[in-house]
Amino acid sequence: MTAPADSDAAKVRVLIVDDDPLLRAGLRMMLGGAPDLEVVGEAGDGTAVAELVAGLRPDVVLMDIRMPAVDGLAATEALRARPAAPEVVVLTTFDADEHVLRALGAGAAGFVLKDTPPAEIVEAVRRVSQGQPVLSPSVIRRLITRATGGDGRGRRRERARERLRSLNEREHEVAVAVAQGRSNADIGASLHLSVPTVKTHVSRILSKLDLNNRVQVALLVHDAGLIPGHDDGEPGSDGTR
């Protein structure tokens, strides 16, 4: 588990967005009990997100999906399109494919089910604030299923591989490592790179592919079928690096 921060200045600022006031109260209590996290505000609908983010400047937004006026998916899409947007963790009671994929495609860095143990939700907020994507195991299984079967698989794979051809060889290696869920330190060790160099490569990958976080890189690499064991052919068998 990540070590707690030593001062208020280092605390991760969290905004809670959920239409259930009892759940918001529970999340506030849960997160407020962590010495390195601070709940700076809450909202009951997606309509209030933009104004609250501008005023409170949270590091992470915990976002419900089902809300009455503007749902969490639309709010996430609008929020992540803004410059210097906070990270978003989607917190929901269900994990239907279309919601998972739309949330991650919109730029959410995490997707956590509400029945996840409290300690794991707290840790998810910490990890996302550090640039590490967080997905529930059931969500990961769905992404693997999407990458290995279903309608449109071939078209998705070819489109994804075409986009990845814009990367140079080293960037391609880093992108695949990101999709395997490796940390920057792990990637650096396996590719004999410093952590700052890995971060530079990740930034360039995001820029070249017009993506805004590591989860979207992972989705693209999975769609391309470049993760061993997640495709019916060997990675690179068609000439793709």
Side-chain angles (χ1 to χ4, degrees), residues 145-207:
T145 299
R146 178 175 184 261
T148 58
D151 295 338
R153 172 190 176 191
R155 291 191 299 275
R156 284 200 312 271
R157 180 171 56 190
E158 289 309 313
R159 286 197 298 266
R161 290 186 175 186
E162 181 61 32
R163 291 183 68 185
L164 289 170
R165 289 189 181 101
S166 67
L167 305 181
N168 63 36
E169 184 173 356
R170 181 61 84 188
E171 290 164 350
H172 193 275
E173 291 173 334
V174 172
V176 170
V178 166
Q180 292 171 327
R182 297 185 182 183
S183 67
N184 288 338
D186 288 341
I187 295 171
S190 64
L191 298 180
H192 307 291
L193 302 171
S194 68
V195 170
T197 299
V198 173
K199 290 180 179 179
T200 298
H201 282 308
V202 171
S203 295
R204 288 176 179 168
I205 290 165
L206 294 174
S207 178

Side-chain angles (χ1 to χ4, degrees), residues 7 16 18-19 44 51 89 129 143 174 182 193 202 212 221 237:
S7 66
I16 300 170
D18 194 294
D19 65 338
E51 182 178 354
V89 176
S129 73
L143 295 180
V174 172
R182 297 185 182 183
L193 302 171
V202 171
N212 64 32
V221 173
S237 60

